[in-house]
Amino acid sequence: MAESTRDKGQAPAVIERFVRQLVVTFKAVSLYPPSSTIPRDNAEAAVEALSAALEELPDIRLVVSKAGLAFEDVPLFPGQSAFAAFAAEFYARNVAEVRFHSGTSSADLLAFLTLLTIDPVELSATGGFESRLWDQGVDNITVSESQV
């Protein structure tokens, strides 16, 4: 089934479901304090969606561009402002690619998304996204940064 959706220029449904939940989780991380259960609940839902995607596909790799996110050269949610704004957060922090690996936990996702709330200049001055992700002990989500 995943092949037929790609033939139509659309990402597999499991990828769209995961990215949709990732955006919802990012909004929760941005709006609620760390003590709130809302970000954690959303992160758990995102991990469930990610696990389902990893059952169907060997690798979840999202490519970041100024225009948005893409999976296997297929743009995700083109023209939808919430997804474009989410991608812009990565782009502003020089993230070129994100890979999600088996074993990603809700704590990993929360740490990962929290980095998007840090000012890009401050993040860059303290080692960049990849370095900060590593410092937080997140090794099931990896990023590649663009060279500026």
Side-chain angles (χ1 to χ4, degrees):
M1 184 166 136
E3 280 302 317
S4 64
T5 58
R6 275 181 265 185
D7 292 341
K8 297 176 186 172
Q10 183 177 349
V14 292
I15 297 299
E16 289 187 346
R17 191 168 32 256
F18 169 60
V19 171
R20 202 174 309 126
Q21 188 58 47
L22 200 59
V23 170
V24 169
T25 304
F26 172 62
K27 288 181 181 182
V29 165
S30 300
L31 295 173
Y32 294 96
S35 60
S36 172
T37 60
I38 295 170
R40 285 193 307 270
D41 292 345
N42 279 287
E44 288 172 12
V47 167
E48 288 175 20
L50 174 61
S51 295
L54 287 168
E55 285 178 14
E56 289 189 28
L57 302 160
D59 182 48
I60 308 302
R61 182 175 66 97
L62 303 178
V63 175
V64 178
S65 72
K66 200 170 192 174
L69 297 175
F71 176 79
E72 295 184 354
D73 297 324
V74 177
L76 295 168
F77 306 103
Q80 295 188 28
S81 62
F83 297 95
F86 182 60
E89 296 292 343
F90 290 107
Y91 190 81
R93 289 159 183 82
N94 298 321
V95 175
E97 179 182 280
V98 181
R99 286 184 185 254
F100 297 91
H101 307 280
S102 178
T104 298
S105 68
S106 58
D108 291 337
L109 276 180
L110 289 172
F112 168 73
L113 294 171
T114 297
L115 292 177
L116 293 177
T117 65
I118 299 172
D119 179 75
V121 173
E122 178 186 338
L123 191 63
S124 179
T126 58
F129 203 101
E130 185 176 16
S131 175
R132 292 287 294 268
L133 198 58
W134 182 258
D135 289 345
Q136 293 197 23
V138 177
D139 55 6
N140 290 316
I141 303 171
T142 54
V143 300
S144 298
E145 293 179 299
S146 58
Q147 301 304 314
V148 181

